[in-house]
Amino acid sequence: MMEEEELEFVEELEAVLQLTPEVQLAIEQVFPSQDPLDRADFNAVEYINTLFPTEQSLANIDEVVNKIRLKIRRLDDNIRTVVRGQTNVGQDGRQALEEAQKAIQQLFGKIKDIKDKAEKSEQMVKEITRDIKQLDHAKRHLTTSITTLNHLHMLAGGVDSLEAMTRRRQYGEVANLLQGVMNVLEHFHKYMGIPQIRQLSERVKAAQTELGQQILADFEEAFPSQGTKRPGGPSNVLRDACLVANILDPRIKQEIIKKFIKQHLSEYLVLFQENQDVAWLDKIDRRYAWIKRQLVDYEEKYGRMFPREWCMAERIAVEFCHVTRTELAKIMRTRAKEIEVKLLLFAIQRTTNFEGFLAKRFSGCTLTDGSLKKLESPPPSTNPFLEDEPTPETEELATEKGDLDQPKKPKAPDNPFHGIVSKCFEPHLYVYIESQDKNLGELIDRFVADFKAQGPPKPNTDEGGAVLPSCADLFVYYKKCMVQCSQLSTGEPMIALTTIFQKYLREYAWKILSGNLPKTTTSSGGLTISSLLKEKEGSEAAKFTLEELCLICGILSTAEYCLATTQQLEEKLKEKVDVSLIERINLTGEMDTFSTVISSSIQLLVQDLDAACDPALTAMSKMQWQNVEHVGDQSPYVTSVILHIKQNVPIIRDNLASTRNSFIPKFITHLFKCKPISMVGAEQLLLDTHSLKMVLLDLPSIGSQVVRKAPASYTKIVVKGMTRAEMILKVVMAPHEPLVVFVDNYIKLLTDCNTETFQKILDMKGLKRSEQSSMLELLRQRLPAPPSGAESSGSLSLTAPTPEQESSRIRKLEKLIKKRL
């Protein structure tokens, strides 16, 4: 029974000692131990087996039991101590809580005492600062009162002194005193309601008015409007009076300046009256010489009388310019019929020189005063062609003429006096414009006569084309006229001169250039230049002689030079004309005229070159390419084309800076006519195409001892065009089954692919229309959607360039010329 009770007790104890994992983990963290007895999963059997692993170890069982009993005894003692220690914990806790409550009550009492003391201190500080603020306000008011009384004393004394000095004309002292009185008076603006202050202010205004009237009277006495100047010259009194006038109403200063300048220029109005001989344009130098003497006289006699900031010398010169402009305009209206070009240019030159003299001596700071409007600054009078980067042609022509080889001039600084007098000549510049019209007409007539007398240009063996010397003479004269006119006016006269330029540019294009192009004849009669622009099947153009080819090349080079220079002329005219008139400068029509001459010249050369190639190309299209059995050397028609190119291209190349090649589109056109083509025939054509491509790339060096590198633009055109021909033949050589692969190959090889080109390739392969329809439909499905008009433009790209296409590209010709050279 006892054993059973002990077992039940052990089981109950073990049930009580079963702790949750969280509690067990917390205990292990607080009391870490390596003893197996402290583990939650302690197993007595395993522990005993650990103590007695073998039978021999049982010999020490008594020793082990004694250790365990000792350990149990120590554990019981510890438990007993802990239990006894916890008997008084509740009583000690209550006692500690009571002590804490008492301490808190004492703390609250101390805090209340501190708060009461702080309030008392704050009240005390307020009482102290209240007295300090009252003292500060009293001090501020006292300081203001003392300052105001001092100012009032100064104002009252200053007004009395000002009135006394004004009566004695002590202007030197008045200048200093008046400024001080006015500064002091500003402090009393808020006290104007006080009668005494208002009375002092009125006395100051009265003194200012009296000073102004008195100073004007003194100047009137010293420089009367009628009669001569006072012999004694300026006095110190007037010098000090000017200092006083600086402080008074600005109208007093303006009145003094006006009267002095009027009196100073009174002699000028008498000497250069309209009825006097010296008033006419041929003696205009005397006017400017007179004012220069007057300015020197002013500096010697009156330079120290007026303050420097008044700029009296400049004001005298500006008023002289206004009077001179008015008088010259009046006399030129009266004697307009007597004005000649040389006389007008002489007067304008002397006037602009005088304006330049004024710009060097004066700053122009007075030009914005009064009713004078700020005049437009002149455009820099530089050579219009020097500011552009010169081409080798223009440099050569400039060297021959000895006029354009000067270094570029830096832009001149703006002249504020430009036009201050010379504006009066602008209404009469029609005389100059009419003279230039007449001179240019005579120049064009001389060019025509010289061309007929000298004949066409000789064959040129140097690089570049033979430009007619007359075009350089024309543009050099244009340059001189433009620079001269821009110095005279940048307004309507420049527009009139531009109209004259346009007139004679067109005359030069038609009389000198287009009018001297050689005429061609056919079996049906004569052809004009315009008819040459329309190629007709079966027409046979006459072959030009060597002299005629040189003439065409010379006219073409001249037209290209004129086109580039006309564009530069338009830009320079826009730079020199007023901004509001820029839109009226337009030389597009004249540039189109030169473009037409270029197109006509190119058409003549191309027609002559192509005419000799037509038999060979016709032979190519008539060959039975489906019967070709093997690929050999280049075909006979290729040899014929190459031989003709080697004979004629050196002549054209040596006499022309650049040309256009329409052979490639024509070759592709004849290529499409070769149908049907077998695989071997396509290979032979591919070989022939490559041979022609190499010859075309070698054109710059054919028949020349100098190895020339082809221009990049030319190489690009040849490579692009002939590569297109090669790609067409590669598509022809490809099998058309399966259809998808064939169509994709066509789209890949020809970037500008379209249905029309595709159908021509199918014709070359000899496919029937029924077979072509499905392939065309598949192509339309796989082609990306082209932009509007793309297909039509693609079809036009296979033919020779039309005159419209030629005209649209003609404006880039000057760039090709620079690259070619």
Side-chain angles (χ1 to χ4, degrees):
M1 292 294 291
M2 290 295 294
E3 293 178 356
E4 294 178 357
E5 292 178 357
E6 288 180 0
L7 291 174
E8 292 177 358
F9 175 76
V10 171
E11 292 176 358
E12 292 177 358
L13 183 62
E14 289 179 356
V16 172
L17 293 178
Q18 290 294 331
L19 303 177
T20 61
E22 292 81 3
V23 175
Q24 187 66 35
L25 180 63
I27 293 174
E28 290 177 358
Q29 292 177 353
V30 176
F31 304 104
S33 175
Q34 300 295 330
D35 194 343
L37 296 174
D38 295 333
R39 297 184 56 171
D41 56 348
F42 174 76
N43 192 318
V45 177
E46 291 181 359
Y47 182 70
I48 293 173
N49 291 333
T50 303
L51 294 176
F52 305 104
T54 62
E55 293 181 0
Q56 291 77 8
S57 61
L58 293 175
N60 298 325
I61 189 171
D62 294 334
E63 184 180 354
V64 173
V65 170
N66 291 332
K67 288 182 179 179
I68 292 175
R69 288 176 178 172
L70 179 62
K71 194 171 186 179
I72 292 172
R73 190 179 301 113
R74 289 177 181 174
L75 184 61
D76 290 339
D77 291 340
N78 292 335
I79 293 173
R80 188 181 302 109
T81 302
V82 171
V83 170
R84 289 176 180 176
Q86 293 297 322
T87 56
N88 298 326
V89 169
Q91 183 178 356
D92 294 340
R94 286 191 296 273
Q95 183 179 357
L97 179 61
E98 291 175 357
E99 291 177 356
Q101 289 176 347
K102 292 179 181 179
I104 291 172
Q105 290 176 356
Q106 293 175 0
L107 180 62
F108 273 111
K110 292 180 180 179
I111 291 174
K112 185 177 180 181
D113 293 341
I114 294 172
K115 182 178 180 181
D116 294 340
K117 292 178 181 179
E119 290 177 352
K120 292 178 181 179
S121 300
E122 183 180 2
Q123 185 66 26
M124 186 181 300
V125 170
K126 287 182 179 179
E127 293 175 357
I128 295 173
T129 55
R130 185 185 304 115
D131 298 336
I132 294 175
K133 288 181 179 179
Q134 290 177 355
L135 290 175
D136 287 341
H137 287 304
K139 180 181 178 181
R140 188 180 303 111
H141 293 324
L142 182 60
T143 303
T144 303
S145 300
I146 293 173
T147 303
T148 304
L149 287 175
N150 288 335
H151 287 167
L152 182 60
H153 176 71
M154 294 169 58
L155 179 62
V159 171
D160 293 337
S161 301
L162 182 63
E163 293 174 345
M165 292 177 183
T166 300
R167 288 191 295 269
R168 293 193 298 268
R169 284 183 167 78
Q170 297 176 344
Y171 295 130
E173 292 79 1
V174 168
N176 296 326
L177 180 59
L178 179 59
Q179 186 63 53
V181 169
M182 295 178 66
N183 291 338
V184 172
L185 189 59
E186 291 179 358
H187 295 283
F188 291 94
H189 282 324
K190 55 185 176 181
Y191 303 115
M192 285 302 171
I194 303 175
Q196 291 81 358
I197 302 298
R198 186 168 58 252
Q199 184 180 1
L200 287 174
S201 177
E202 291 174 354
R203 288 176 63 187
V204 172
K205 292 180 181 179
Q208 289 179 324
T209 303
E210 183 181 355
L211 275 172
Q213 295 175 353
Q214 188 171 295
I215 291 173
L216 289 176
D218 291 343
F219 270 92
E220 181 66 25
E221 181 181 355
F223 306 102
S225 301
Q226 303 294 334
T228 59
K229 306 172 189 175
R230 191 172 66 177
S235 64
N236 292 334
V237 175
L238 295 180
R239 181 182 60 191
D240 295 338
C242 291
L243 298 177
V244 177
N246 259 340
I247 306 173
L248 297 176
D249 191 334
R251 289 177 294 182
I252 303 298
K253 170 185 171 182
Q254 295 174 3
E255 187 68 20
I256 294 173
I257 294 174
K258 180 179 178 181
K259 287 186 176 182
F260 180 81
I261 294 177
K262 182 178 179 182
Q263 193 275 340
H264 216 69
L265 296 179
S266 58
E267 179 185 353
Y268 173 72
L269 294 175
V270 175
L271 292 176
F272 294 91
Q273 289 182 359
E274 186 177 351
N275 56 358
Q276 299 294 328
D277 292 340
V278 293
W280 189 228
L281 300 180
D282 58 345
K283 296 181 178 61
I284 198 170
D285 280 340
R286 298 190 181 183
R287 293 177 181 266
Y288 305 134
W290 182 90
I291 189 59
K292 290 178 182 179
R293 291 194 302 269
Q294 293 301 313
L295 292 176
V296 173
D297 181 70
Y298 165 80
E299 293 293 343
E300 293 176 354
K301 294 182 179 180
Y302 309 104
R304 297 183 179 180
M305 186 176 75
F306 295 100
R308 183 179 298 274
E309 62 269 16
W310 285 22
C311 303
M312 284 299 296
E314 181 176 328
R315 293 180 185 275
I316 293 172
V318 170
E319 184 62 25
F320 166 82
C321 292
H322 293 334
V323 173
T324 302
R325 183 174 61 189
T326 303
E327 293 297 321
L328 287 176
K330 186 190 303 182
I331 193 172
M332 283 191 292
R333 282 196 302 269
T334 306
R335 305 171 62 177
K337 296 182 179 180
E338 302 178 28
I339 300 177
E340 299 178 353
V341 176
K342 292 183 179 180
L343 179 61
L344 180 64
L345 294 179
F346 167 78
I348 293 175
Q349 181 184 8
R350 295 296 189 269
T351 302
T352 53
N353 291 343
F354 175 70
E355 292 171 349
F357 162 77
L358 294 180
K360 292 179 181 178
R361 182 165 182 179
F362 303 117
S363 64
C365 61
T366 64
L367 292 178
T368 55
D369 295 346
S371 60
L372 179 63
K373 295 182 179 179
K374 188 175 182 181
L375 296 172
E376 297 177 356
S377 60
S381 58
T382 56
N383 187 333
F385 303 107
L386 286 178
E387 293 179 359
D388 285 334
E389 179 183 357
T391 63
E393 290 180 338
T394 56
E395 287 181 345
E396 181 181 356
L397 292 172
T399 304
E400 294 175 358
K401 296 301 171 184
D403 191 44
L404 299 180
D405 56 352
Q406 299 178 1
K408 295 182 180 180
K409 299 179 181 178
K411 287 189 175 181
D414 292 343
N415 179 2
F417 295 93
H418 176 75
I420 192 171
V421 179
S422 57
K423 281 288 183 181
C424 65
F425 299 109
E426 187 168 323
H428 304 277
L429 286 179
Y430 67 89
V431 178
Y432 171 78
I433 301 299
E434 292 174 355
S435 173
Q436 298 307 322
D437 188 5
K438 179 180 178 182
N439 293 342
L440 284 171
E442 295 175 353
L443 189 64
I444 294 296
D445 293 340
R446 180 167 63 84
F447 289 161
V448 174
D450 291 346
F451 190 90
K452 292 180 179 179
Q454 297 174 3
K458 303 301 180 182
N460 184 23
T461 58
D462 298 330
E463 290 207 20
V467 180
L468 300 180
S470 58
C471 70
D473 295 338
L474 178 66
F475 283 104
V476 167
Y477 190 83
Y478 273 9
K479 179 263 301 182
K480 293 180 180 178
C481 294
M482 180 178 60
V483 173
Q484 193 174 45
C485 187
S486 65
Q487 294 174 346
L488 307 181
S489 172
T490 58
E492 288 295 335
M494 284 292 290
I495 301 299
L497 184 66
T498 302
T499 304
I500 299 299
F501 286 174
Q502 292 174 305
K503 173 183 176 182
Y504 289 102
L505 284 174
R506 290 191 298 268
E507 287 197 11
Y508 185 84
W510 295 118
K511 290 184 178 180
I512 307 298
L513 301 181
S514 180
N516 289 301
L517 283 174
K519 305 298 187 296
T520 60
T521 58
T522 63
S523 57
S524 59
L527 284 177
T528 61
I529 295 301
S530 59
S531 66
L532 289 174
L533 299 177
K534 301 178 180 179
E535 295 186 11
K536 297 182 180 180
E537 292 292 337
S539 61
E540 297 181 358
K543 184 171 178 58
F544 295 122
T545 62
L546 176 61
E547 290 75 13
E548 289 175 334
L549 287 176
C550 294
L551 174 60
I552 296 173
C553 293
I555 291 176
L556 175 55
S557 299
T558 303
E560 292 170 350
Y561 171 78
C562 292
L563 176 64
T565 314
T566 302
Q567 186 175 4
Q568 297 175 7
L569 176 65
E570 181 183 33
E571 295 173 356
K572 295 305 149 188
L573 286 171
K574 288 182 177 180
E575 290 180 6
K576 295 186 176 297
V577 79
D578 293 341
V579 177
S580 58
L581 301 176
I582 288 180
E583 294 182 356
R584 296 174 61 182
I585 303 293
N586 187 358
L587 303 184
T588 304
E590 289 64 40
M591 288 187 279
D592 290 342
T593 301
F594 287 116
S595 298
T596 303
V597 176
I598 294 173
S599 180
S600 300
S601 303
I602 291 176
Q603 192 66 26
L604 287 174
L605 294 175
V606 170
Q607 182 183 11
D608 181 72
L609 186 62
D610 288 351
C613 295
D614 280 343
L617 295 176
T618 303
M620 178 190 77
S621 60
K622 292 182 178 181
M623 286 184 63
Q624 300 298 322
W625 292 100
Q626 72 274 18
N627 299 329
V628 177
E629 297 179 353
H630 63 276
V631 180
D633 198 0
Q634 63 186 22
S635 303
Y637 75 90
V638 176
T639 304
S640 176
V641 171
I642 294 175
L643 179 62
H644 178 71
I645 290 176
K646 289 183 176 181
Q647 290 176 349
N648 289 272
V649 168
I651 299 174
I652 299 176
R653 183 195 60 223
D654 293 336
N655 290 275
L656 190 61
S658 65
T659 185
R660 285 181 172 78
N661 194 336
S662 65
F663 171 77
I664 296 176
K666 196 169 187 178
F667 173 76
I668 294 177
T669 301
H670 281 75
L671 194 64
F672 284 131
K673 296 180 180 180
C674 300
K675 53 186 178 180
I677 302 179
S678 63
M679 179 67 69
V680 179
E683 292 178 358
Q684 180 64 47
L685 275 174
L686 186 61
L687 175 64
D688 297 341
T689 302
H690 181 72
S691 299
L692 289 175
K693 177 180 177 181
M694 301 309 297
V695 171
L696 291 175
L697 289 175
D698 196 41
L699 275 183
S701 300
I702 288 181
S704 175
Q705 297 178 355
V706 180
V707 178
R708 297 179 176 88
K709 184 179 179 180
S713 58
Y714 171 78
T715 303
K716 182 178 178 181
I717 292 173
V718 173
V719 171
K720 181 179 179 181
M722 296 306 289
T723 301
R724 174 180 169 80
E726 291 175 344
M727 293 300 105
I728 291 173
L729 291 173
K730 288 183 179 181
V731 175
V732 172
M733 293 166 57
H736 60 277
E737 295 289 346
L739 298 182
V740 176
V741 176
F742 179 73
V743 171
D744 290 343
N745 189 40
Y746 166 73
I747 296 175
K748 180 180 179 181
L749 293 178
L750 293 177
T751 56
D752 56 342
C753 54
N754 54 71
T755 55
E756 184 176 353
T757 305
F758 187 64
Q759 187 169 8
K760 291 180 179 180
I761 292 177
L762 297 180
D763 291 338
M764 295 174 68
K765 292 180 69 68
L767 298 178
K768 299 179 181 180
R769 292 292 178 180
S770 57
E771 297 176 325
Q772 296 181 11
S773 58
S774 59
M775 301 178 73
L776 288 171
E777 184 61 29
L778 180 60
L779 175 66
R780 293 188 185 98
Q781 294 175 0
R782 303 187 71 83
L783 275 178
S788 178
E791 189 167 336
S792 60
S793 62
S795 62
L796 291 175
S797 64
L798 299 178
T799 61
T802 63
E804 290 78 13
Q805 291 173 319
E806 201 70 36
S807 176
S808 66
R809 298 194 303 266
I810 204 71
R811 299 184 184 280
K812 300 180 181 178
L813 189 56
E814 61 272 12
K815 295 181 181 179
L816 297 178
I817 296 175
K818 293 179 182 179
K819 293 180 180 179
R820 182 74 172 90
L821 293 176

